[in-house]
Amino acid sequence: MELASVILVWLAYLLYAAAFAVFLIGFVTQRPWTNALGRWVAAAALAAQAVGLVLRGVEAGHFPFAGLYESMVLLSCAIALVWSVAESLTRLKAIGLYVMPVVLVLLTVALVEYNPPVGLGPVLRSDIVVVHVTVMLVAIGCLYVAGGAAIIYLIEEALLRRRRPGGVLGRLPSLAALERLVYRATLLGVPFLTMGMAAGVIRAETFRVPGWATDPMVLLSVAAWAVYLALIAGRVRREWTGRAVSWLAVTGLVLLLVIRFAAVPYLSAFHTYGA
Amino acid sequence: MHVVVAGISHKTAPLELRERLALDDEAALRVSRELLDEGVACEVVALSTCNRTELYQWARDSLAARHAALAHLARHAGVAPSELEPALYSHSGDGAVAHLFRVTSSLDSMVVGEAQIVAQLKAAYQLASDGGCTAVVFNRLFRHALEVGKRVRTETAIGERPVSVSSAAVGLAQQVFGDLRDRSVLIIGAGETSELTATHLKANGIERILVANRTFAASTDLAARIGGEAVRFEDLEEHLVAADIVISSTSAPHYVVTRESVERAVKRRRHRPMFLIDIAVPRDLDPEIDRVRNAYLYDIDDLQQVVEHNRHEREREAQLAERIVEQELANVNDWLRGLEVVPTIATLREAVEEIRRGELARLGNRLSGLTDEQRAQVEMLTTSIVNKILHVPTVKMKEVAGRDQCYLYVDAVRTLFDLDGHAGDDGDTPAGDAGRATADHTDRAAAEDAPSGGTVHRLRGTGTEDA
């Protein structure tokens, strides 16, 4: 079953790469069929990845979030899932252009750092950890998508300002649609982020983790959370729209990336990803 | 028999001549019927848009068909044939089919990639078909041509980018706002380009149009023409707040809208974006406006640049479309060649011979008791039955081979014996098509009985590009 799981994840990897290629071709050549094809290929990839994850969980005997491999596959799966939901709701082109490479990078890390399934250490054997992880994944999926839309917004805006709309006209979604996606994805992600952080705090308190409140990862998470709250508050009062909202979403995204790829592995004293 | 096209277009004839040659529905049918009645052509479709007038004929003699087309068009327009002659182009066979496909793909249009022509061709074909002027060949050919037009539009980006100033302005507005339905536009000054742009915006869903001009009467005029609302020029600043899109084309020597007023407007709009288009020379809108957060300003040069860029893209896509046309041409040619008598007889004989051999093989075991002599007799017997049955159809086919209507027989035979191997497919197969068409054709005497299911799309004159 371990082999089947790995094969499925590899298959998903190749399919995501194919979907990315199709989106890229679509962006450059503007063939109308590319968007639908890319969506189908990505959906197939997502399905393969999800089944692969389930098999992995069955083999390991627990929710597959332990270790770098599982957490990366899980995270990329969550992002792809949020994206495909957002895609089917909004029919916005070009977001896949950003999401696919992100998913591919995460999966590359996963496949390079592959480790066979292991049982959970005592630290992670807790329901609240599973809740924490699941809720966080949804939050991060939403916020990554918001960040991607924000990046595309900023690029498109800059091109429009520079009088070079040739590259975007009809190829990228409208500024209004992108801004709406940034806002709505954030609006959806923040409650999950809040819940996930609350679950983390409960976990740290019940197990009396020493010094958790001043841990760099926790501080950065609070900062990201504050950025997202500011985004929502500013947008609700319509003081910040468009560029301002997009810059905040990008700032939040950078913080999330720092947390995952710098703070957790190198600075945090207790957050382990089950390693 | 050949497909022959003869006509004039924006490439060969000036507007003045095109106007005189334009055929309305009635004239199109009349000219087509005359050509049919004279026996020059077996099927005719007349296509008339404001950029071209063309007669497509399925005719035995392509030269005669050209002459007839020239004569009839000249008579209709009231010009001497010698005057029309230099502007008239004609193609026959492959050239004509290729021309038809290029026309439907909008490769021959004044604005390459424009979308009107497919609907116009569809209407022209429908008119001819309802009027009993088409049969097997053109029913198939024109439906195929419409498919080619569709294929080009879905497989290439030929029509994706706006290539006129007003449509580029609309494209940019859509890039900023997305759906334009709930947006409003403020037009300052009553120039021609702003009117055109407003019409374009309206076609793209905008409902609220405000018109402000220094003389209020001019505002009311323009507002009435485009279905907008005239507002006082003095209240411009108020109306800026409500406007998502601003189009300015006054002849004022100074800026009509300043950076400060846009700044105030955006603030009062609670930072919803504004898209401002300046098509006036000298400019109406302070270029500094572009620095305002959430306000985007494009002037006429910017728009021209966009148009230029898109033209290049279209040219590249046009090459792709040409390749599609070539592929489709090959498909149609195979079919057209199949309408010849001699190869059809050969195919028919082969098909029946195959059945005969197949049946004998199936009986192989039961015939095993026969001597060689008996077996030879069975062979002879079956062969002679087949030959007897096929004799009369073969002779009859050869008899009609010299006549105009022979392809109808050929088509019937191909359909009845399923010589193109389409049995069991859906109704859109060539065989199915041809069968239906043959029935239409025999009914031509009762021509007013239009084939059922056909709806006429009258789109003439509504087009913006090739109308």
Side-chain angles (χ1 to χ4, degrees), chain B residues 296-361:
Chain B
Y296 304 87
L297 171 67
Y298 269 66
D299 64 31
I300 188 80
D301 274 5
D302 300 331
L303 291 174
Q304 289 288 11
Q305 219 180 311
V306 174
V307 166
E308 209 42 52
H309 177 89
N310 290 350
R311 282 232 170 93
H312 285 301
E313 296 237 334
R314 272 199 187 189
E315 275 158 28
R316 232 185 24 222
E317 291 302 312
Q319 288 168 5
L320 260 173
E322 294 280 8
R323 244 176 286 156
I324 292 178
V325 165
E326 266 168 47
Q327 282 170 18
E328 296 287 346
L329 191 59
N331 291 344
V332 165
N333 275 340
D334 286 347
W335 176 73
L336 281 177
R337 256 193 293 280
L339 289 179
E340 306 283 334
V341 168
V342 179
T344 302
I345 293 175
T347 320
L348 176 64
R349 289 197 155 270
E350 270 164 37
V352 178
E353 175 63 17
E354 203 178 303
I355 294 173
R356 189 191 69 86
R357 270 200 308 263
E359 290 301 300
L360 279 182

Side-chain angles (χ1 to χ4, degrees), chain B residues 54-319:
Chain B
E54 291 176 338
L55 293 172
Y56 290 87
Q57 303 177 67
W58 174 241
R60 169 156 302 280
D61 180 346
S62 48
L63 216 56
R66 182 187 197 275
H67 282 310
L70 175 64
H72 282 278
L73 286 177
R75 202 172 64 208
H76 166 78
V79 295
S82 58
E83 196 186 323
L84 182 56
E85 178 88 53
L88 191 89
Y89 53 82
S90 66
H91 308 278
S92 76
D94 282 9
V97 177
H99 179 79
L100 173 63
F101 287 179
R102 293 188 78 251
V103 167
T104 37
S105 307
S106 81
L107 289 169
D108 202 52
S109 297
M110 194 181 263
V111 179
V112 170
E114 54 91 11
Q116 294 289 325
I117 187 66
V118 175
Q120 287 164 337
L121 188 90
K122 191 172 178 183
Y125 161 67
Q126 200 71 51
L127 182 77
S129 154
D130 290 353
C133 301
T134 66
V136 184
V137 177
F138 277 10
N139 284 347
R140 166 90 188 248
L141 184 65
F142 277 79
R143 276 179 213 164
H144 197 101
L146 291 169
E147 288 302 317
V148 174
K150 251 188 243 166
R151 198 180 147 200
V152 164
R153 297 198 78 74
T154 48
E155 289 181 26
T156 74
I158 199 164
E160 295 283 316
R161 309 300 199 78
V163 287
S164 68
V165 166
S166 56
S167 55
V170 173
L172 284 164
Q174 279 170 329
Q175 201 61 46
V176 174
F177 297 110
D179 193 356
L180 295 179
R181 239 170 308 169
D182 299 325
R183 308 289 170 181
S184 54
V185 56
L186 170 65
I187 294 171
I188 309 173
E192 195 184 332
T193 316
S194 52
E195 179 173 348
L196 198 61
T197 312
T199 319
H200 252 85
L201 284 167
K202 198 156 190 181
N204 281 280
I206 275 213
E207 274 164 15
R208 188 142 186 262
I209 303 177
L210 304 175
V211 184
N213 198 50
R214 275 204 197 279
T215 51
F216 190 67
S219 317
T220 3
D221 270 6
L222 179 58
R225 263 206 307 283
I226 57 179
E229 181 190 331
V231 296
R232 301 251 160 226
F233 194 81
E234 300 73 50
D235 306 333
L236 201 58
E237 195 137 338
E238 280 305 304
H239 297 301
L240 274 180
V241 178
D244 298 301
I245 303 164
V246 177
I247 305 169
S248 193
S249 64
T250 74
S251 43
H254 53 80
Y255 295 144
V256 178
V257 179
T258 61
R259 175 179 174 160
E260 288 70 34
S261 53
V262 171
E263 250 166 12
R264 278 193 296 272
V266 168
K267 205 161 188 185
R268 284 177 61 195
R269 290 166 56 79
R270 310 190 70 192
H271 300 287
R272 275 180 292 133
M274 279 178 92
F275 181 58
L276 301 98
I277 304 158
D278 191 347
I279 32 192
V281 180
R283 284 181 290 186
D284 281 347
L285 309 178
D286 183 351
E288 284 284 300
I289 289 171
D290 200 47
R291 296 181 178 277
V292 178
R293 209 159 52 119
N294 289 315
Y296 304 87
L297 171 67
Y298 269 66
D299 64 31
I300 188 80
D301 274 5
D302 300 331
L303 291 174
Q304 289 288 11
Q305 219 180 311
V306 174
V307 166
E308 209 42 52
H309 177 89
N310 290 350
R311 282 232 170 93
H312 285 301
E313 296 237 334
R314 272 199 187 189
E315 275 158 28
R316 232 185 24 222
E317 291 302 312
Q319 288 168 5

